[in-house]
Amino acid sequence: MSLLLSGLNSEQLQAVTLQHQSALVLAGAGSGKTRVLTTRIAYLIQSKQVSPHSILAVTFTNKAAKEMLTRISSMLPINTQGMWVGTFHGLCNRMLRAHYQDAGLSHAFQILDSADQLAVIKRVLKDINADDEKYPPRQVQWFINNAKDEGLRGSQVEAYDDFTRKMVEFYSVYEQQCNKEGVVDFAELLLRSYELLTRNEILRRHYSGRFNHILVDEFQDTSQLQYKWLRLLAGTEASVFVVGDDDQSIYAFRGANTGNMKDFERDFHISEIIKLEQNYRSHGNILDAANTLIRNNSGRLDKNLWTSEGHGEPLRVYNAPTDFDEAAFIVEEAKSLHAEGVELSQIGLLYRSNAQSRVLEHALFNASLAYRVYGGLRFFERQEIKHALAYLRMIANPNDDNALLRIINFPARGIGVRSLEQLQDSAKEQGGSLWQAALEKNKSGVTLNRGLEDKASVSHIENKNADIPKKGLNSFVFLIDSMQQGCLELTLPEIVDHMLEHSGLITYYSNQREGANRLENLNELINAATSYIQEAEDSSLAAFLAHASLEAGEHQSGNNQDALQLMTVHSAKGLEFNSVFLSGLEEGLFPHENSRNEAGGLEEERRLMYVALTRAQRRMYLSFTQSRMLHGQTRYNTPSRFLKEIPEKLLRWLNPVQEEGVIMQEKSGLRMQDRTSGVMDSESSKWCIGQNVIHAKFGAGIIVNCEGGGQDARVQVKFSKYGTKWLSLEYAKLVPA
DNA sequence: ACTGATTCTTTTTTT
DNA sequence: AAGAATCAGT
């Protein structure tokens, strides 16, 4: 026990050893929050004789859940199976599978990821002939998810205008369709689970009686519904221990509600907030930069991060002409860091949006530096994997229309739009799923394999080869049916193998020119199934498919190599690196332009910037470009305002020394507003890319390009009202703004 | 019904 | 720029 608690500072110790009561821990970045959570769980079990069975811990990502379990196992020799540790979605899924009947679900209900959900919405809108110009599917999706996040069913949404009424109608139709197909989306997992607990008193008593200790990580990112779910589960007896940092709330776009922290204080009668303010991660300069930046936000809970480490290096700033040059710079610096002995896996390359990874990947590939990209296109989202999963879904739950539509003619078996339309029409008529309609149509056709399982069905299929339809709807019905029969006795990896073989996917991709990689991924899917049944307690096909939807990302092959870590700032939350490169620090990109229209958008972007800065232990690189390719077009950007919010004395500018003037230009171009001293007030310094200017006739604009010098000097200015124009400096009377 | 070509859209972030 | 969706020709 003393071993368990040794090395904790006094606040951490206080938090870990709190007696049975609810608590709010305000934990700054790098303050040892995960350690506090895991140590507390270990402490409860070891010293307080709390059974693992009565502990429920919620994390924000699957990765964090796994990490927590690993850490606890290393502290205590206990079986962690009885503990409920996972994401909100994961836990709700667990609960719904255990009580699928009470929740009104079929036993093999499937989970829709965002793309699946959108597909269903598009289909539903088409079915009822909704104008998808007026009601874009994406917006409908957003509306539905928002309503669900607030705990509302279609009938409960207050609709005062036509548009909302329409949305509500779509919501209801969508809901019916999902029920028909036996599928639930992410938000539905939470809402169903919440409704189940509300409605079913016996179950509620059971669970709230069981979970005496509820621990929540990243509490600032919980949504309204998640908070309500927690309260329900906690009942009156449980100790609820939540850890969060309002400065790292970066998921408001998904319904996260920082207000939950205040509500929690009130609802759970928290008398004293425990603050973890000592940062064990970053050197002083990095921390100062982050602290100064975040002070520009309003309404923060008071907190002051400090470190006992020295100041360390200044943050390095690099101004690149293009995104291409920026990538080249990062590659070179990463190389020399690696040469100095920093492991590649200790170097993080962060960016605001996934699209930015491509340039970096390209440069890294050419430099043959090992790297790993997180997020972006995940394993379970790849086309071939989606196809394979669709077959598996048909085996588990053939009423899944999404799955059926994906593979009914893939690989091609002669079912075209015509037959599909017919199928959809009869499904609509019968009010059932497409599969049910297909069965109906098939009745007159081929006799299925049913009732003949006494002999091994595989050999049965081979023997009766002559009867098997090769093309058309019948062949599909026969295929799925025989797969269902053939998989009855098989283990999960065998099912996957069986499916890959019989679906024709293997053959298809073997014959494809670029199919080798996809083939590899398909085989990797068997491995995924194998490792899944080793870890999971429920090794059914339905559970595996749920796992695939909930944990789309983390399964990747060959991840044990030392490699640079590429990811968005969002997915970097909770991680730390010796050195961090943050690229694309430009207005419109970071802060992202879409954030301008949202209430509190800019502050959320700033918190995101805060998260990025606090990832670095020793060295931080900040880079921006003057032009960047976006949607196939060159965009000219100005440096991010966040760069200006970091004190100059903490920064070191790294630009290559070409000629004195150039550096001066770049520096003054960025910091003109901050400087009053005339040191750099030469003529050339005014006109550089990014400079805001005013023209007598065209008004306000920004310089996006320069060329020539002396009398020939011209600048290209993008005016807010008059478009982009080339102007000669000699004639145009431009004034810096 | 399948193919290749052309047009359209996408991107903020994730369970 | 790249992938998806749609269209035209076979």
Side-chain angles (χ1 to χ4, degrees):
Chain A
M1 142 109 161
S2 57
L3 204 64
L4 198 63
L5 302 179
S6 68
L8 296 177
N9 67 32
S10 65
E11 290 80 21
Q12 290 174 330
L13 189 67
Q14 185 197 355
V16 165
T17 58
L18 269 185
Q19 295 311 298
H20 192 95
Q21 57 177 272
S22 292
L24 173 58
V25 179
L26 194 56
S31 63
K33 145 180 89 84
T34 312
R35 183 170 177 203
V36 164
L37 272 169
T38 49
T39 314
R40 173 156 176 90
I41 293 176
Y43 167 83
L44 288 173
I45 294 171
Q46 198 182 58
S47 311
K48 295 287 154 187
Q49 312 299 319
V50 171
S51 157
H53 193 253
S54 57
I55 292 175
L56 179 132
V58 192
T59 60
F60 190 66
T61 62
N62 296 296
K63 208 188 331 180
K66 211 172 277 173
E67 163 96 7
M68 186 173 280
L69 283 173
T70 321
R71 286 219 210 173
I72 295 170
S73 308
S74 75
M75 284 189 259
L76 294 176
I78 56 148
N79 183 359
T80 52
Q81 293 261 327
M83 235 186 291
W84 276 40
V85 180
T87 61
F88 279 103
H89 295 88
L91 297 172
C92 288
N93 175 54
R94 187 169 176 171
M95 186 179 287
L96 291 176
R97 294 223 173 260
H99 311 285
Y100 66 89
Q101 277 171 323
D102 294 316
L105 291 165
S106 75
H107 77 105
F109 73 88
Q110 292 303 305
I111 300 170
L112 301 176
D113 65 20
S114 310
D116 294 333
Q117 183 187 33
L118 190 61
V120 176
I121 290 173
K122 280 182 182 166
R123 232 172 42 228
V124 163
L125 290 181
K126 210 169 187 175
D127 257 10
I128 60 172
N129 289 319
D131 181 357
D132 59 358
E133 295 271 293
K134 209 169 159 194
Y135 310 103
R138 280 198 171 281
Q139 203 172 344
V140 178
Q141 181 179 32
W142 185 86
F143 178 88
I144 293 174
N145 289 338
N146 256 37
K148 288 190 179 183
D149 273 339
E150 286 171 29
L152 301 175
R153 290 291 170 194
S155 55
Q156 297 166 294
V157 180
E158 295 181 9
Y160 297 116
D161 56 285
D162 287 347
F163 187 81
T164 315
R165 271 189 283 276
K166 267 285 184 211
M167 287 290 168
V168 168
E169 183 195 330
F170 299 150
Y171 182 1
S172 304
V173 182
Y174 165 78
E175 206 163 81
Q176 279 169 24
Q177 185 64 28
C178 288
N179 288 335
K180 207 187 303 180
E181 295 184 33
V183 294
V184 298
D185 57 50
F186 285 137
E188 183 72 22
L189 283 172
L190 303 172
L191 185 51
R192 281 271 172 158
S193 174
Y194 174 74
E195 288 173 344
L196 175 66
L197 290 174
T198 317
R199 199 173 349 105
N200 192 323
E201 198 185 334
I202 298 173
L203 273 181
R204 186 171 69 245
R205 279 170 189 267
H206 166 74
Y207 279 110
S208 57
R210 169 177 170 178
F211 296 123
N212 285 316
H213 287 274
I214 296 176
L215 300 96
V216 189
D217 194 8
E218 309 279 13
F219 186 67
Q220 76 282 353
D221 285 324
T222 50
S223 71
Q224 264 189 65
L225 182 57
Q226 288 166 345
Y227 180 57
K228 279 159 81 175
W229 185 82
L230 279 175
R231 277 177 66 182
L232 213 49
L233 212 51
T236 48
E237 300 303 315
S239 142
V240 184
F241 184 91
V242 309
V243 182
D245 178 1
D246 55 323
D247 288 334
Q248 293 187 70
S249 162
I250 54 177
Y251 285 94
F253 71 92
R254 193 177 102 184
N257 175 14
T258 327
N260 283 343
M261 296 179 90
K262 277 260 171 287
D263 292 350
F264 180 79
E265 256 187 283
R266 187 193 60 217
D267 298 338
F268 288 84
H269 316 292
I270 304 299
S271 51
E272 180 199 11
I273 298 176
I274 300 174
K275 290 183 188 177
L276 305 182
E277 297 179 298
Q278 183 174 0
N279 174 296
Y280 294 95
R281 180 184 294 154
S282 309
H283 271 167
N285 285 340
I286 296 172
L287 214 51
D288 286 349
N291 280 337
T292 316
L293 174 104
I294 201 65
R295 251 177 246 137
N296 290 303
N297 273 5
S298 57
R300 303 168 51 226
L301 298 171
D302 190 40
K303 175 166 50 73
N304 194 27
L305 269 187
W306 61 278
T307 176
S308 58
E309 304 260 358
H311 292 299
E313 307 171 349
L315 289 70
R316 299 168 189 232
V317 185
Y318 187 74
N319 173 358
T322 67
D323 46 350
F324 191 81
D325 299 301
E326 182 186 43
F329 165 77
I330 291 174
V331 168
E332 281 313 307
E333 287 291 318
K335 260 190 190 162
S336 55
L337 274 172
H338 187 45
E340 285 165 27
V342 181
E343 283 178 44
L344 290 178
S345 61
Q346 272 305 305
I347 303 174
L349 271 53
L350 311 187
Y351 34 81
R352 175 63 178 82
S353 61
N354 277 309
Q356 289 168 253
S357 75
R358 186 173 301 164
V359 207
L360 292 169
E361 285 186 67
H362 187 82
L364 289 167
F365 184 82
N366 287 337
S368 20
L369 262 180
Y371 66 90
R372 181 172 172 200
V373 190
Y374 292 80
L377 187 58
R378 291 115 174 264
F379 180 73
F380 287 113
E381 288 170 3
R382 285 165 205 274
Q383 185 208 112
E384 63 277 16
I385 298 298
K386 277 278 195 179
H387 285 314
L389 290 175
Y391 275 103
L392 293 175
R393 284 178 166 219
M394 287 301 289
I395 295 173
N397 168 21
N399 293 326
D400 187 332
D401 285 0
N402 261 351
L404 183 138
L405 286 170
R406 180 178 281 274
I407 53 159
I408 189 164
N409 199 34
F410 190 94
R413 52 177 71 84
I415 303 173
V417 277
R418 191 85 203 104
S419 352
L420 251 183
E421 269 170 25
Q422 284 174 14
L423 190 62
Q424 279 168 323
D425 285 347
S426 47
K428 212 171 165 185
E429 224 169 88
Q430 294 159 26
S433 67
L434 292 172
W435 173 250
Q436 286 159 348
L439 279 182
E440 207 47 47
K441 274 191 192 297
N442 185 72
K443 262 185 182 164
S444 50
V446 181
T447 328
L448 294 179
N449 217 6
R450 292 181 193 286
L452 295 167
E453 304 95 74
D454 45 326
K455 299 234 183 291
S457 24
V458 178
S459 64
H460 176 83
I461 289 173
E462 277 163 359
N463 293 340
K464 290 191 70 179
N465 227 1
D467 296 356
I468 300 173
K470 285 267 185 294
K471 291 199 116 193
L473 188 61
N474 288 344
S475 79
F476 180 70
V477 173
F478 186 88
L479 175 67
I480 297 300
D481 186 72
S482 69
M483 273 189 184
Q484 287 172 344
Q485 301 304 320
C487 290
L488 286 175
E489 307 279 310
L490 302 181
T491 66
L492 186 56
E494 287 168 345
I495 292 178
V496 178
D497 193 33
H498 181 268
M499 175 275 302
L500 288 176
E501 211 39 68
H502 291 82
S503 63
L505 285 175
I506 294 278
T507 324
Y508 178 86
Y509 284 116
S510 304
N511 297 333
Q512 279 264 299
R513 268 182 302 120
E514 307 283 332
N517 215 328
R518 299 191 187 271
L519 218 48
E520 213 171 282
N521 284 331
L522 287 177
N523 282 319
E524 188 60 29
L525 186 61
I526 305 181
N527 296 340
T530 311
S531 53
Y532 174 77
I533 56 170
Q534 279 161 8
E535 288 168 22
E537 38 203 283
D538 180 352
S539 58
S540 70
L541 177 56
F544 174 66
L545 290 170
H547 162 86
S549 305
L550 289 172
E551 202 174 324
E554 288 329 303
H555 184 89
Q556 284 192 19
S557 52
N559 54 3
N560 297 323
Q561 195 191 3
D562 182 38
L564 287 169
Q565 310 283 302
L566 272 68
M567 64 190 83
T568 63
V569 181
H570 278 91
S571 38
K573 190 167 72 154
L575 304 180
E576 59 185 12
F577 305 97
N578 174 288
S579 303
V580 170
F581 292 85
L582 178 59
S583 62
L585 268 172
E586 295 141 38
E587 282 295 304
L589 202 59
F590 198 177
H592 197 277
E593 51 195 346
N594 295 9
S595 70
R596 299 165 63 108
N597 307 322
E598 289 156 34
L602 185 64
E603 296 213 337
E604 175 141 322
E605 294 288 306
R606 190 176 283 113
R607 289 192 294 271
L608 200 51
M609 179 74 187
Y610 176 78
V611 168
L613 289 173
T614 51
R615 297 310 97 194
Q617 297 167 321
R618 295 294 172 260
R619 184 175 291 187
M620 182 84 217
Y621 289 91
L622 307 167
S623 57
F624 61 94
T625 68
Q626 302 186 3
S627 71
R628 165 183 306 275
M629 289 293 270
L630 195 67
H631 308 335
Q633 280 186 322
T634 308
R635 290 263 303 250
Y636 299 94
N637 295 320
T638 56
S640 169
R641 67 190 74 190
F642 296 147
L643 214 41
K644 296 171 197 157
E645 292 178 9
I646 298 174
E648 176 71 22
K649 65 175 200 293
L650 301 176
L651 302 177
R652 183 198 295 166
W653 292 71
L654 293 178
N655 280 75
V657 180
Q658 295 155 3
E659 47 177 293
E660 263 328 274
V662 174
I663 296 176
M664 293 302 219
Q665 267 188 34
E666 286 167 352
K667 279 202 74 158
S668 66
L670 176 65
R671 302 204 158 258
M672 188 66 79
Q673 296 92 324
D674 319 334
R675 275 164 205 281
T676 43
S677 80
V679 196
M680 286 181 296
D681 201 7
S682 72
E683 187 60 22
S684 67
S685 73
K686 282 186 202 162
W687 317 120
C688 58
I689 293 170
Q691 174 63 51
N692 289 304
V693 293
I694 295 185
H695 184 271
K697 191 169 152 201
F698 301 133
I702 185 164
I703 299 183
V704 295
N705 212 346
C706 314
E707 68 174 35
Q711 297 206 321
D712 298 329
R714 299 197 309 147
V715 293
Q716 193 181 23
V717 182
K718 187 176 163 196
F719 292 102
S720 48
K721 293 211 179 89
Y722 294 86
T724 308
K725 296 189 191 308
W726 278 103
L727 301 168
S728 167
L729 278 180
E730 202 183 350
Y731 303 111
K733 292 283 173 269
L734 285 179
V735 188

